């Protein structure tokens, strides 16, 4: 591949994207949603900050113990970004699809593909140039959203710290990857489908399927259907609850109600309880593994989970520690600093990898399909 | 300049181009004739490197297209039958993009201006999406010439042109040919090809059934047979000649249609004069070029 040709093709694609009414309309909607979400988030942040300050005052006066508020660390401006994360995952996915679904089919429909390929260029330069042009447009869109978001926060008098700035940038990078994933998915269908309409329908079908399947999987009944009910504690009534979203914390609660009419051998009971604990842990670990595996297939689920970790690292830390039998040492557990933050992201490395692998895999498929395209 | 050696292209077991051998010398304006589905466009797609042959090879300026697609594409200009451009760009912007892909430098500005004037699109500032088919075809010709090609390949170039457009197209082709550029024009419209091309090849069912100059094609296509019509004032006797193939008499032998392998009008006149038959008219029928070409197609169809 020659960089000069790539630059020419990517430059034209970038210009086309930015000039297209479709891109401008969706981007305008995205901006409005992002700004509205951030304004709401900024108000919420200020409220949280006031509560936190009140709590600090109360703690200093000995009225409350701060160490128990593991999940209630100092509020971060990133909480405001958490609000737009959910919105971005849908609107920006649509933006990515809208940008990519007709990249090749439109060339076929306007009959310009033959003319384009009659130039002294390789097909891989065409498809890569188109992908780079789209990536440039998405990067520009995301950069504008992030800059505007920071500007909104500054207007509200909220100045991000260095760590928060790094997290904002990572948030922007993750948002880019998510939109780019759907853009590349649409690009693949643009090479595979006969016309733009079919490409759009196929992309939306896969988008909805991925979202629906992952939602179905992470909802309880589907997994229960797959792996059965959780084990029941010996001689007890049992209840459990679980999350229905990627950002909720799975919780299991059990209660042992003593039956006065039934006498338990204390030793036997302890053994059974230990056995139950092991089975229960294994069950929930298996359940978690299935959920994580299925949701890895969905870029928006990966994005939401990672965006949650970036914007709410305290809650993410709690989430990563749940299921560990060892209690968290609230006094020694580091709660601030980039190293802790990157440690948290390390715990989500599979999702980060998945967010890179998804577009890479579909780009590979698009590349092969386009290279073997029969031009007639 | 353009050469095909046993070129074959098979789609799903059906040969679209079948053992095609063809040579177009440098500076020639060559017409590739044939009915729809004869394999003209497939041949052109292989010549332009857009598809690969199933077997055989084609060469442009002695470079094999399949193994040197980039070098070949630099040497040729191509206009497809269904020519299309980027609808949101102007003619100038489309040519600008094209010129950049050919690696042209700042000289492209002057070239674009010159070509837009040549095809009659200078001063047109609207986007190509608003162009008529004819305007797109004109732009297609400009695009085919942008890189100063050694050979241009035009697939059905007059398909969408109005009479003025056709006249302009002929003028452009002659202008290009005068500069020594080899031109290959594919068409199913014989009259169009015959007006600009110096030689032609006839393609039917993927096979080259004939090629040569127009005179050669007409002679071969007519099987070198001559039809002579005779009208006399008195009935004719039986006519004898070694070249005679058939003789049909009508109107009480006052009229005859003679088919011979050569023109035997003088011989017939002498025979009739000796028999004391007064001749009213004696004419040789020149075969219509359309009929000649149709006979090529029909012969191939019958063979198939």
């Amino acid at each position: 591949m020659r960089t000069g040709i790539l630059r020419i093709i990517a430059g034209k694609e970038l210009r086309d994207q930015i000039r297209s009414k479709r891109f401008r309309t969706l981007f305008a909607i995205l901006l409005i949603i992002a700004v509205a979400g951030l304004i709401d988030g900024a108000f919420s942040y200020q409220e949280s900050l006031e509560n936190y300050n009140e709590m600090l005052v109360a703690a200093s006066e000995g009225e409350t113990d701060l160490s128990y508020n593991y999940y209630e660390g100092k509020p971060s401006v990133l909480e405001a970004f958490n609000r737009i994360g959910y919105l971005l995952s849908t609107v920006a996915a649509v933006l990515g699809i809208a940008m990519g679904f007709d990249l090749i089919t439109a060339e076929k429909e306007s009959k310009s593909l033959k003319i384009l390929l009659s130039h002294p260029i390789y097909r891989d330069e065409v498809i890569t140039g188109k992908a780079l042009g789209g990536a440039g447009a998405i990067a520009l869109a995301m950069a504008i959203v992030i800059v505007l978001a920071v500007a909104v926060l500054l207007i509200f008098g909220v100045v991000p710290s260095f760590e928060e700035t790094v997290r904002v940038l990572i948030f922007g990078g993750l948002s880019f990857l998510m939109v780019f994933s759907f853009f590349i998915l649409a690009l693949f269908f643009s090479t595979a489908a006969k016309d733009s309409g079919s490409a759009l329908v196929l992309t939306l079908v896969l988008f909805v399927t991925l979202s629906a399947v992952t939602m179905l999987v992470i909802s309880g009944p589907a997994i229960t259907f797959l792996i059965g009910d959780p084990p029941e504690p010996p001689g007890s009534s049992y209840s459990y609850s679980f999350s229905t979203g990627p950002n909720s914390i799975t919780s299991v609660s059990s209660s042992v109600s003593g039956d006065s009419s039934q006498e338990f051998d204390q030793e036997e009971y302890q053994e059974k309880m230990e056995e139950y604990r092991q089975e229960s842990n294994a069950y929930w670990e298996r359940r978690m593994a299935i959920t994580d595996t299925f949701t890895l297939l969905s870029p928006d689920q990966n994005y939401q989970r990672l965006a949650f970790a970036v914007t709410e690292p305290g809650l993410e830390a709690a989430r990563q520690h749940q299921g560990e039998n060892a209690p968290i040492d609230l006094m020694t557990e580091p709660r601030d600093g980039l190293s802790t933050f990157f440690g948290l992201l390390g715990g989500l490395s599979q999702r980060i990898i998945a967010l890179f692998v998804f577009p890479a895999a579909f780009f590979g498929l698009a590349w092969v399909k386009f290279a073997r395209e029969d031009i007639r | 300049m353009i050469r095909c050696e046993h070129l074959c292209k098979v789609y799903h077991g059906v040969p679209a181009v079948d053992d095609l051998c063809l040579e177009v010398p440098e500076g020639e304006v060559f017409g590739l004739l044939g009915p729809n589905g004869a394999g003209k466009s497939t041949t052109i797609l292989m010549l332009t490197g857009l598809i690969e042959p199933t077997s055989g090879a084609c060469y442009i300026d002695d470079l094999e297209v399949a193994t040197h697609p980039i070098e070949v594409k630099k040497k040729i200009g191509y206009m497809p039958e269904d020519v299309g451009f980027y609808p949101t760009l102007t003619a100038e912007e489309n040519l600008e993009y094209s010129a950049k892909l050919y690696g042209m430098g700042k000289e492209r500005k002057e070239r674009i201006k010159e070509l837009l004037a040549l095809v009659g699109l200078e001063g047109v500032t609207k986007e190509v999406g608003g162009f008529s088919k004819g305007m797109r075809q004109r732009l297609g010709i400009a695009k085919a010439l942008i890189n100063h090609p050694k050979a241009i390949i035009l697939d059905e170039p007059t398909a969408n042109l109005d009479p003025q457009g056709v006249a302009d197209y002929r003028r452009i082709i002659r202008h290009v040919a005068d500069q020594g550029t080899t031109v290959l024009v594919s068409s199913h419209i014989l009259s169009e090809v015959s007006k600009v091309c110096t030689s032609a090849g006839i393609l039917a069912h993927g096979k080259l059934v004939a090629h040569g100059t127009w005179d050669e094609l007409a002679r071969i296509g007519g099987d070198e047979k001559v039809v002579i019509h005779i009208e006399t004032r008195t009935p004719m006797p039986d006519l004898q000649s070694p070249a005679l193939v058939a003789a049909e008499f009508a109107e009480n032998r006052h009229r005859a249609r003679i088919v011979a392998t050569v023109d035997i009008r003088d011989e017939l006149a002498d025979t009739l004069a000796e028999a004391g038959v007064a001749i009213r008219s004696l004419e040789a029928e020149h075969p219509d070029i359309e009929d000649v070409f149709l006979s090529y197609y029909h012969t191939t169809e019958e063979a198939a």
Side-chain angles (χ1 to χ4, degrees):
Chain A
M1 261 187 280
R2 297 157 298 172
T3 49
I5 293 293
L6 273 182
R7 205 167 40 241
I8 292 166
I9 297 171
K12 188 218 168 251
E13 290 304 322
L14 176 63
R15 243 187 339 270
D16 284 356
Q17 292 283 5
I18 292 168
R19 283 162 72 168
S20 83
K21 284 180 189 163
R22 194 192 304 154
F23 176 82
R24 288 180 181 184
T25 308
L26 282 166
F27 181 53
I29 294 169
L30 187 71
L31 274 185
I32 291 166
I33 288 173
V35 169
L38 271 164
I39 290 171
D40 184 38
F43 278 121
S44 173
Y45 165 72
Q46 284 178 332
E47 202 177 307
S48 300
L49 198 63
E50 279 168 21
N51 290 341
Y52 178 75
N53 288 336
E54 281 171 15
M55 203 170 63
L56 280 182
V57 172
S60 66
E61 289 169 0
E63 290 172 17
T64 183
D65 185 356
L66 195 62
S67 64
Y68 286 110
N69 292 298
Y70 182 79
Y71 305 122
E72 295 284 340
K74 187 185 175 186
S76 164
V77 290
L78 267 295
E79 285 170 25
F81 281 86
N82 191 26
R83 305 231 166 196
I84 62 170
Y86 287 108
L87 299 166
L88 272 175
S89 67
T90 307
V91 180
V94 172
L95 175 71
I97 291 170
M99 287 171 68
F101 80 92
D102 65 348
L103 274 186
I104 300 296
T105 48
E107 293 261 12
K108 290 179 195 166
E109 284 156 2
S110 69
K111 316 282 186 194
S112 54
L113 190 59
K114 265 189 207 171
I115 286 272
L116 176 64
L117 295 178
S118 71
H119 291 92
I121 54 175
Y122 293 107
R123 289 191 189 192
D124 54 356
E125 290 168 341
V126 173
I127 192 95
T128 310
K130 281 180 178 287
L132 286 176
I138 295 167
L140 186 67
M142 288 303 125
I144 292 171
V145 168
I146 296 298
V147 167
L148 203 69
V150 173
V152 167
L153 291 176
L154 290 174
I155 289 167
F156 276 82
V158 180
V159 181
S161 66
F162 173 72
E163 186 199 329
E164 285 168 335
T165 306
V166 171
R167 281 159 59 194
V168 165
L169 290 175
I170 292 173
F171 178 84
L174 292 171
S175 303
F176 166 82
L177 276 176
M178 194 270 294
V179 184
F180 186 64
S181 295
F182 285 106
F183 167 74
I184 292 292
L185 175 71
L187 172 63
F188 163 68
F189 280 113
S190 186
T191 60
K194 281 184 181 170
D195 54 63
S196 300
S198 308
L200 179 59
V201 169
L202 288 168
T203 312
L204 288 175
V205 164
L206 192 65
F207 171 56
V208 170
T209 306
L210 283 176
S211 302
V213 166
T214 49
M215 285 309 290
L216 194 70
V217 167
I218 60 179
S219 72
I223 298 191
T224 306
F225 178 77
L226 282 174
I227 63 168
D229 287 321
E232 289 192 21
S236 67
S237 64
Y238 172 73
S239 67
Y240 68 95
S241 63
F242 41 78
S243 68
T244 54
N247 302 335
S248 310
I249 294 169
T250 303
S251 62
V252 180
S253 63
S254 63
S255 63
V256 178
S257 58
D259 188 341
S260 57
S261 64
Q262 196 175 351
E263 287 185 7
F264 281 99
D265 179 283
Q266 192 62 24
E267 211 170 294
E268 189 186 344
Y269 175 74
Q270 288 297 343
E271 264 178 34
K272 282 187 176 174
M273 269 309 282
E274 184 54 36
E275 197 180 313
Y276 158 72
R277 258 196 298 272
Q278 284 175 2
E279 281 177 13
S280 185
N281 279 345
Y283 174 85
W284 287 104
E285 274 172 19
R286 199 161 69 245
R287 193 170 180 119
M288 217 42 188
I290 292 173
T291 306
D292 285 348
T293 307
F294 270 94
T295 53
L296 277 178
L297 296 171
S298 170
D300 59 326
Q301 293 290 337
N302 290 326
Y303 168 71
Q304 283 186 32
R305 182 72 195 271
L306 287 164
F308 180 72
V310 172
T311 55
E312 299 278 7
L315 289 176
E316 177 56 32
R319 187 180 195 158
Q320 288 186 16
H321 283 294
Q322 74 166 338
E324 285 178 15
N325 289 331
I328 303 162
D329 187 341
L330 297 178
M331 303 312 290
T332 57
E333 188 74 16
R335 290 172 14 188
D336 291 316
L338 280 174
S339 59
T340 312
F341 171 67
F342 284 120
L344 270 182
L345 288 185
L348 294 168
S349 57
Q350 278 187 326
R351 291 191 181 274
I352 296 171
I353 292 167
L355 217 45
F356 279 98
V357 167
F358 187 92
F362 276 98
F363 180 70
L365 290 173
W367 193 90
V368 171
K369 183 76 186 70
F370 186 64
R372 300 174 72 171
E373 177 88 39
D374 199 5
I375 306 291
R376 289 205 214 180
Chain B
M1 171 59 70
I2 299 172
R3 196 169 85 243
C4 300
E5 287 180 1
H6 304 286
L7 195 63
C8 292
K9 182 67 186 179
V10 178
Y11 288 119
H12 308 295
V14 180
V17 174
D18 190 0
D19 198 31
L20 177 68
C21 294
L22 179 75
E23 182 143 16
V24 181
E26 196 167 346
E28 186 99 24
V29 182
F30 186 85
L32 196 57
L33 277 161
N36 292 331
K40 305 185 299 291
S41 294
T42 308
T43 303
I44 284 178
L45 289 176
M46 287 188 278
L47 282 170
T48 51
L50 291 177
I51 57 172
E52 287 190 12
T54 307
S55 63
C58 47
Y59 301 84
I60 302 279
D61 203 17
D62 289 328
L63 281 172
E64 190 181 349
V65 180
T67 52
H68 302 86
I70 298 297
E71 291 84 347
V72 166
K73 285 174 183 177
K74 283 178 185 168
K75 288 174 183 276
I76 60 169
Y78 166 60
M79 184 181 79
E81 179 185 3
D82 45 359
V83 60
F85 291 95
Y86 296 107
T88 56
L89 303 184
T90 64
E92 191 177 342
E93 286 169 338
N94 268 290
L95 289 181
E96 173 87 11
Y97 182 50
S98 188
K100 281 183 185 172
L101 291 176
Y102 278 113
M104 293 171 74
K106 285 181 180 170
E107 78 279 8
R108 65 176 183 266
K109 297 278 178 199
E110 198 53 43
R111 181 66 176 159
I112 290 167
K113 207 172 152 187
E114 179 191 324
L115 286 172
L116 286 175
L118 183 71
V119 298
L121 288 175
E122 76 274 37
V124 180
T125 52
K126 67 177 172 181
E127 292 176 351
V128 170
F131 274 24
S132 67
K133 282 184 177 176
M135 288 169 85
R136 278 205 290 272
Q137 206 97 2
R138 286 164 180 264
L139 184 57
I141 293 171
K143 185 265 147 193
L145 295 170
I146 189 115
N147 57 326
H148 301 281
K150 292 184 87 174
I152 60 169
I153 298 174
L154 310 171
D155 197 357
E156 304 282 1
T158 56
N160 298 305
L161 293 178
D162 57 19
Q164 183 57 50
V166 172
D168 287 345
Y169 151 76
R170 288 179 196 151
R171 174 180 53 81
I172 292 164
I173 295 300
R174 285 187 193 114
H175 169 77
V176 169
D178 288 346
Q179 293 177 333
T181 308
T182 308
V183 183
L184 189 146
V185 179
S186 141
S187 179
H188 63 277
I189 307 167
L190 175 67
S191 56
E192 264 321 306
V193 174
S194 64
K195 284 193 172 74
V196 292
C197 297
T198 46
S199 60
I202 299 170
L203 215 55
H205 298 288
K207 288 176 182 290
L208 187 71
V209 292
H211 67 101
T213 62
W214 294 108
D215 285 346
E216 286 166 349
L217 286 168
R219 200 166 57 244
I220 298 163
D223 288 337
E224 298 188 18
K225 291 188 181 69
V226 180
V227 177
I228 299 163
H229 294 276
I230 310 170
E231 191 179 351
T232 57
R233 292 164 66 182
T234 51
M236 282 177 266
D238 281 342
L239 301 169
Q240 302 291 329
S241 168
L244 191 90
V245 175
E248 292 169 25
F249 294 96
E251 292 181 23
N252 204 20
R253 299 181 79 93
H254 281 83
R255 282 178 184 272
R257 182 177 179 275
I258 308 297
V259 180
T261 52
V262 290
D263 189 351
I264 53 170
R265 277 179 298 174
D266 290 345
E267 194 181 332
L268 290 174
D270 291 344
T271 306
L272 291 172
E274 281 170 18
V277 177
I279 298 170
R280 188 171 277 156
S281 70
L282 181 66
E283 287 173 3
E285 183 185 284
H286 294 287
D288 180 67
I289 199 153
E290 295 275 358
D291 292 338
V292 172
F293 283 95
L294 278 175
S295 76
Y296 279 118
Y297 302 157
H298 292 154
T299 307
T300 321
E301 269 171 26
E302 281 161 18

